[in-house]
């Protein structure tokens, strides 16, 4: 293939969904195992790491997108998404960096946590309607996945053939709270209801006599509303202004060790005070809009709710309690009027039904105070009837919306929807996460230029940038494009801290550039070496560079003064986590002077699970029951198994000092292709085999796991 003739400008008409404005060209590379390249003009190069991540860096750059194991997340634009402030927003209206709720598994329960939208796009796909027993209707693509009592399932699928995958069947039960309530219409009745609840619950509206010199009379009228929450105060001031009542804001009380500062609004003009009193009168024929506004106002004034308690509204006024009870029952809420026998007569009304009814209350009434809506850490438990009762094709292609979040999921119309940790590069472009993973490569041809612009911005704080966290920056095609090298040159010129993670010894091509980086900033390399068992390697990573070549690269880099470590990952139960296997790879890493050795157990998230389990059924069917038991619907091993798997590595790491001989010999000028190659090193280990080192680099002698 003549690469120099493949000019990016030759076929700008080629487009990929999701890159409507950025695709420069698409072409096949016949010498590259039927690989097809899609060159794009990226709008940005720096990607922010999710806020809740435990990773030691905050930014990444990925010039290639060839291994984003993701799935198609396609939901109707009208689907309400649970935001971090407790409100709901249309799927179509979400934006990157919006804070929403997702879930994580902690201990025995899946729990709600706040996360952020990392990506958002739309595409045209055939639509299906999934109806649940409680009336919830979900409009999605057939590829969409939902969380059931039996794990993640696609909306459609097949038992056999190319479409085989876990899919929804009738009576599968989804997890969540069920469909969200419609938000209130903010009309005049709603506003007056809100003010009635707020004024009666918290305000001071009085008339009294005070004879002062210079006044024609001593009658004083005053309205004052003091709150510690500015959201409710601002809404009250806005609603009053729309009713013709102008107020002044002032600091009411300073913060103390036990109380937040309070701010207040007030007016003493007679017409204003009388108008407030008129608004706060009980209506003779309240509308449902008024009732919703009143419940929102009285909750902001007198209500309480937290992740560890029920929703309550308490008061000493029997009239307020009576109206609150009537409004709640009007909308079908199950409530209890509690009596604690307090001398002042304070009695709370408690809302029954748990989180399902709390969310219905919040969405239907829309109180102003968002901190009372916090559900962070609550377990994903509900009594809602979320059985699937029908799945029907709508017979048309619709514009459906996709997102990526930091947790890999989101809450849409009260149930848990799936997305992926990695950016969904492949499947949302119409590719699959199996063979297309290494045959459909997205190339950001302008990434270095875009990065230089971003690094030069005054707002950039020179935070650490990691390469290789999503896709390998040293894929074989890097020989042709040189994008990773150009990106590192931009980071060098900006003196920006950075690091590289790769499986490829191709990075040795940039050794001189690495030396320049080490001179001007903090820089390190890391190579992924999950095992030294060749059969396990060829089965799990068939197209990656040889393990011994990676060890040679670690030795060469450290000898050249480039801090280089090894990531022993993933550790796969009963595949590469046996003590002798871990011992072998750790010993080899220490021998070549790895500055650090880390690793982690296998995690299966998104389409990665489908790809891995499909591989497991073909290569190791005997392990399928074990993995189904260990992982179930989880992305990670159960904590005890995870600790057990990773403990083997931690126990070995640092147990004995690294052997610097190899690095010293490189520094003395020994030829890398002499007896310091891994072949030569292996021969030396075999000669010195007293400590069993010969088995470490002779995997054929080990009992095969396959």
């Amino acid at each position: 293939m003549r690469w120099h003739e493949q000019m990016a400008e030759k076929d700008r008409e080629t487009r990929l969904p999701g890159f409507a404005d950025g695709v420069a060209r698409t072409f096949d590379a016949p010498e590259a195992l039927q690989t097809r390249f899609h060159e794009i003009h990226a709008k940005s190069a720096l990607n922010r790491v999710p806020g809740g991540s435990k990773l030691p860096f905050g930014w990444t750059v990925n010039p290639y997108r060839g291994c984003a194991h993701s799935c198609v997340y396609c939901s109707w634009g009208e689907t309400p998404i649970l935001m971090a402030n407790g409100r709901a927003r249309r799927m179509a209206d979400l934006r990157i960096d919006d804070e929403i709720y997702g879930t994580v598994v902690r201990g025995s329960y899946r729990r709600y946590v706040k996360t952020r939208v990392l990506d958002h796009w739309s595409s045209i796909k055939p639509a299906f309607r999934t109806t649940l027993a409680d009336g919830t209707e979900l409009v999605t693509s057939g590829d969409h996945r939902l969380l059931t009592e039996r794990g993640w399932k696609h909306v459609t699928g097949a038992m056999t053939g190319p479409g085989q995958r876990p899919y929804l069947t009738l009576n599968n039960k989804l997890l969540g709270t069920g469909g969200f309530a419609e938000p209130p219409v903010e009309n005049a009745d709603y506003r007056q209801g809100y003010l009635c609840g707020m004024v009666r619950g918290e305000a001071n509206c009085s008339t009294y006599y005070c004879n002062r010199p210079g006044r024609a009379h001593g009658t004083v009228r005053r309205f004052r509303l003091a709150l510690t929450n500015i959201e409710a105060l601002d809404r009250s001031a806005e609603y009053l202004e729309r009713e013709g009542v102008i107020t002044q804001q002032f600091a009411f009380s300073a913060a103390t060790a036990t109380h937040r500062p309070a701010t207040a609004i007030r007016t003493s003009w007679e017409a204003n005070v009388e108008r407030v009193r008129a608004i706060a009168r009980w209506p003779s024929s309240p509308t449902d809009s008024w009732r919703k506004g009143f419940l929102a106002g009285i909750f902001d004034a007198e209500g309480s709710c937290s992740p560890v308690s029920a929703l309550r509204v308490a008061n000493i006024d029997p009239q307020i309690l009576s109206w609150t009870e009537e409004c709640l029952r009007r909308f079908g809420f199950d409530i209890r009027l509690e009596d604690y026998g307090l001398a002042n007569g304070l009695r709370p009304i408690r809302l029954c039904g748990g989180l399902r009814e709390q969310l219905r209350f919040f969405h239907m009434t829309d109180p102003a105070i968002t901190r009372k809506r916090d559900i962070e850490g609550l377990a994903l438990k509900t009594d809602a009837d979320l059985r699937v009762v029908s799945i029907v094709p709508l017979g048309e292609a619709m514009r459906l919306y996709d997102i990526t979040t930091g947790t890999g999921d989101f809450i849409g119309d009260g149930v848990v929807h799936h997305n992926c940790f990695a950016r969904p590069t492949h499947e949302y472009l119409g590719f699959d996460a199996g063979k297309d993973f290494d045959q459909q490569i997205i190339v950001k041809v302008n990434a270095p230029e875009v990065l230089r612009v971003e690094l030069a911005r005054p707002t950039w704080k020179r935070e650490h940038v990691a390469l290789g966290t999503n896709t390998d920056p040293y894929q074989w095609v890097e020989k042709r494009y040189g994008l990773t090298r150009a990106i590192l040159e931009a980071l060098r010129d900006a003196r920006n801290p950075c690091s590289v993670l790769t499986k490829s010894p191709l990075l040795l091509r940039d050794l001189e550039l690495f030396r320049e980086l080490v001179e001007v900033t903090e820089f390190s390399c890391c190579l992924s070496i999950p095992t030294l068992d060749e059969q396990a390697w060829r089965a799990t990573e068939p197209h990656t560079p040889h393990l011994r070549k990676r060890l040679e690269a670690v030795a060469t880099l450290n000898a050249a003064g480039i801090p280089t470590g090894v990531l022993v990952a993933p550790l796969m139960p009963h595949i590469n986590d046996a003590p002798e296997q871990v011992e072998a790879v750790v010993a080899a890493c220490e021998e070549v002077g790895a500055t650090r050795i880390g690793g982690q157990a296998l995690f299966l998230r998104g389409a990665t699970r489908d790809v891995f389990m499909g591989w497991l059924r073909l290569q190791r069917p005997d392990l399928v029951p074990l993995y189904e038991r260990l992982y179930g619907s989880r992305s990670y091993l159960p904590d005890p198994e995870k600790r057990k798997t990773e403990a083997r590595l931690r126990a070995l790491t640092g147990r004995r000092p690294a052997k610097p001989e190899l690095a010293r010999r490189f520094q003395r000028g020994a030829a890398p292709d002499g007896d310091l190659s891994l072949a030569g090193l292996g021969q030396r280990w075999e000669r010195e085999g007293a400590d069993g080192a010969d088995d470490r680099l002779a995997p054929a002698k080990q009992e095969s796991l396959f």
Side-chain angles (χ1 to χ4, degrees):
M1 177 178 178
R2 298 178 181 177
W3 283 75
H4 65 278
E5 293 182 359
Q6 300 291 333
M7 301 300 293
E9 289 73 16
K10 288 191 175 182
D11 63 343
R12 292 187 181 276
E13 71 278 2
T14 305
R15 294 292 182 263
L16 288 173
F19 286 113
D21 299 323
V23 176
R25 66 188 177 119
T26 295
F27 61 92
D28 295 324
E31 85 275 27
L33 302 175
Q34 298 179 331
T35 301
R36 171 166 290 185
F37 292 88
H38 305 273
E39 294 185 349
I40 70 165
H41 291 154
K43 294 181 180 179
S44 63
L46 288 166
N47 302 311
R48 184 188 293 274
V49 174
S53 172
K54 297 181 180 179
L55 295 173
F57 47 82
W59 297 86
T60 67
V61 174
N62 294 289
Y64 306 104
R65 291 171 136 183
C67 55
H69 295 311
S70 56
C71 67
V72 181
Y73 315 116
C74 301
S75 295
W76 188 35
E78 297 296 320
T79 303
I81 307 302
L82 184 60
M83 309 299 293
N85 62 10
R87 295 190 171 94
R89 184 184 299 172
R90 295 170 64 246
M91 179 78 156
D93 295 335
L94 291 180
R95 295 294 178 264
I96 293 174
D97 212 36
D98 279 345
E99 193 173 22
I100 66 175
Y101 273 107
T103 70
V104 296
V105 176
R106 290 177 182 165
S108 301
Y109 294 102
R110 181 176 289 271
R111 299 181 182 275
Y112 292 96
V113 296
K114 294 174 183 177
T115 185
R116 290 193 178 275
V117 176
L118 305 179
D119 208 351
H120 180 263
W121 66 96
S122 67
S123 55
I124 307 295
K125 294 185 180 294
F128 293 77
R129 176 183 288 113
T130 302
T131 303
L132 309 183
D134 74 337
T136 301
E137 292 186 347
L138 308 169
V139 177
T140 67
S141 72
D143 295 308
H144 194 70
R145 288 203 285 176
L146 299 162
L147 185 59
T148 75
E149 84 284 10
R150 301 186 67 180
W152 294 105
K153 289 196 173 185
H154 296 270
V155 171
T156 62
M159 293 292 293
T160 60
Q164 182 180 10
R165 61 188 182 184
Y167 63 95
L168 291 179
T169 57
L170 299 188
N171 290 324
N172 271 150
K173 184 178 180 181
L174 303 189
L175 300 189
T177 59
F180 292 153
E182 288 291 325
V185 177
E186 191 187 290
N187 54 23
D189 283 354
Y190 177 85
R191 292 191 294 270
Q192 290 183 12
Y194 182 85
L195 290 172
C196 179
M198 180 60 70
V199 171
R200 286 186 173 272
E202 195 68 29
N204 180 301
C205 192
S206 59
T207 300
Y208 58 94
Y209 184 81
C210 181
N211 191 9
R212 293 183 182 177
R215 288 195 174 190
H217 58 82
T219 303
V220 177
R221 296 173 178 82
R222 174 178 294 173
F223 164 75
R224 184 188 67 211
L225 175 62
L227 297 170
T228 58
N229 188 280
I230 198 65
E231 293 169 307
L233 193 69
D234 285 346
R235 180 186 285 192
S236 299
E238 178 193 346
Y239 285 3
L240 285 169
E241 185 174 352
R242 297 179 71 167
E243 295 291 334
V245 178
I246 305 301
T247 59
Q248 296 80 43
Q249 183 173 303
F250 66 100
F252 183 75
S253 63
T256 68
T258 57
H259 293 84
R260 292 186 294 269
T263 307
I265 56 175
R266 65 187 173 192
T267 181
S268 298
W269 189 31
E270 179 179 356
N272 281 347
V273 177
E274 291 305 318
R275 179 58 184 150
V276 172
R277 284 179 174 155
I279 293 170
R281 292 193 185 103
W282 299 117
S284 57
S285 300
T287 64
D288 282 351
S289 285
W290 185 93
R291 289 186 175 95
K292 292 176 182 179
F294 172 76
L295 289 173
I298 196 64
F299 179 78
D300 279 344
E302 301 286 357
S304 64
C305 187
S306 73
V308 294
S309 67
L311 188 152
R312 290 180 171 86
V313 175
N315 206 276
I316 62 174
D317 187 333
Q319 268 194 313
I320 293 178
L321 291 174
S322 177
W323 275 92
T324 304
E325 182 178 0
E326 189 276 333
C327 291
L328 287 169
R329 293 197 187 282
R330 167 73 176 183
F331 298 115
F333 288 104
D334 183 13
I335 59 174
R336 299 289 184 272
L337 183 60
E338 301 174 333
D339 189 351
Y340 298 154
L342 300 177
N344 62 359
L346 181 72
R347 300 185 67 186
I349 296 176
R350 176 170 60 87
L351 188 68
C352 303
L355 180 61
R356 170 175 54 84
E357 290 295 87
Q358 291 175 21
L359 288 177
R360 184 162 78 92
F361 175 88
F362 290 143
H363 293 154
M364 187 187 69
T365 65
D366 192 27
I369 302 176
T370 54
R371 65 173 173 79
K372 294 182 181 181
R373 301 177 179 225
D374 188 14
I375 64 171
E376 179 92 15
L378 278 184
L380 198 70
K381 298 187 293 184
T382 183
D383 59 356
D385 190 355
L386 303 182
R387 289 175 296 114
V388 176
V389 297
S390 69
I391 305 169
V392 296
L394 297 183
E396 61 176 321
M398 297 176 57
R399 181 165 295 281
L400 302 175
Y401 290 81
D402 309 356
I403 63 173
T404 301
T405 72
T407 57
D409 60 5
F410 61 93
I411 313 302
D413 211 4
V415 298
V416 185
H417 298 242
H418 192 279
N419 70 88
C420 187
F421 172 80
R423 295 176 67 83
T425 304
H426 275 53
E427 285 188 327
Y428 83 76
L429 294 175
F431 303 147
D432 68 48
K435 61 182 176 58
D436 286 345
F437 158 63
D438 42 27
Q439 291 183 1
Q440 303 282 355
I441 307 299
I442 311 300
V443 185
K444 301 178 185 178
V445 292
N446 65 334
E449 293 79 8
V450 173
L451 178 62
R452 285 186 179 275
V453 172
E454 292 175 331
L455 294 175
R457 289 173 180 165
T459 54
W460 176 245
K461 304 301 182 184
R462 296 182 68 251
E463 297 181 57
H464 188 102
V465 174
L467 278 73
T469 61
N470 192 26
T471 61
D472 199 315
Y474 282 99
Q475 300 180 42
W476 70 267
V477 76
E478 169 65 11
K479 295 178 181 179
R480 304 287 186 177
Y481 283 102
L483 293 178
T484 297
R485 180 179 181 86
I487 285 170
L488 289 169
E489 288 173 343
L491 291 164
R492 175 204 61 193
D493 295 345
R495 297 175 177 263
N496 201 99
C498 55
S499 60
V500 170
L501 169 64
T502 181
K503 296 177 185 292
S504 175
L506 178 61
L507 84 168
L508 292 176
R509 182 198 63 178
D510 294 333
L511 179 58
E512 290 304 317
L513 176 57
F514 296 163
R515 286 194 175 104
E516 294 171 6
L517 277 160
V518 169
E519 289 294 324
V520 299
T521 189
E522 178 184 305
F523 175 75
S524 63
C525 295
C526 187
L527 277 91
S528 172
I529 307 176
T531 183
L532 291 184
D533 186 313
E534 291 216 18
Q535 293 181 6
W537 160 60
R538 292 186 186 281
T540 56
E541 296 181 354
H543 300 304
T544 58
H546 198 282
L547 302 164
R548 299 190 186 188
K549 291 295 184 181
R550 299 186 218 178
L551 283 170
E552 286 181 350
V554 174
T556 303
L557 289 166
N558 278 309
I562 311 301
T564 304
V566 172
L567 182 66
V568 184
L571 290 168
M572 297 169 280
H574 291 251
I575 294 177
N576 71 330
D577 72 331
E580 63 273 14
Q581 292 173 303
V582 178
E583 167 84 17
V585 70
V586 169
C589 293
E590 290 173 339
E591 190 78 22
V592 297
T595 56
R596 60 197 181 282
I597 305 171
Q600 63 184 23
L602 172 72
F603 67 91
L604 300 174
R605 181 177 281 162
T608 308
R609 174 188 295 273
D610 297 339
V611 173
F612 181 84
M613 293 303 293
W615 169 85
L616 200 66
R617 291 185 182 95
L618 291 174
Q619 297 287 339
R620 291 295 306 271
D622 58 305
L623 292 180
V624 171
L626 172 68
Y627 274 75
E628 289 178 341
R629 177 178 62 81
L630 288 177
Y631 286 90
S633 62
R634 297 178 296 269
S635 298
Y636 297 89
L637 283 172
D639 287 344
E641 288 291 335
K642 185 174 184 292
R643 288 193 295 268
K644 177 182 176 182
T645 299
E646 295 177 353
R648 296 164 185 157
L649 178 65
R650 288 195 297 270
L652 292 168
T653 302
R655 186 188 65 181
R656 50 179 174 254
K659 300 179 181 180
E661 177 188 0
L662 191 62
R664 286 198 301 268
R665 294 181 67 182
F666 268 103
Q667 289 169 338
R668 290 198 300 267
D673 57 352
D675 64 354
L676 294 179
S677 68
L678 263 292
L681 187 59
Q683 294 170 4
R684 179 166 60 84
W685 275 340
E686 290 181 5
R687 292 194 302 270
E688 300 172 358
D691 61 354
D694 52 331
D695 286 337
R696 297 181 190 127
L697 287 180
K701 299 180 181 179
Q702 301 178 11
E703 182 179 353
S704 174
L705 294 175
F706 295 87

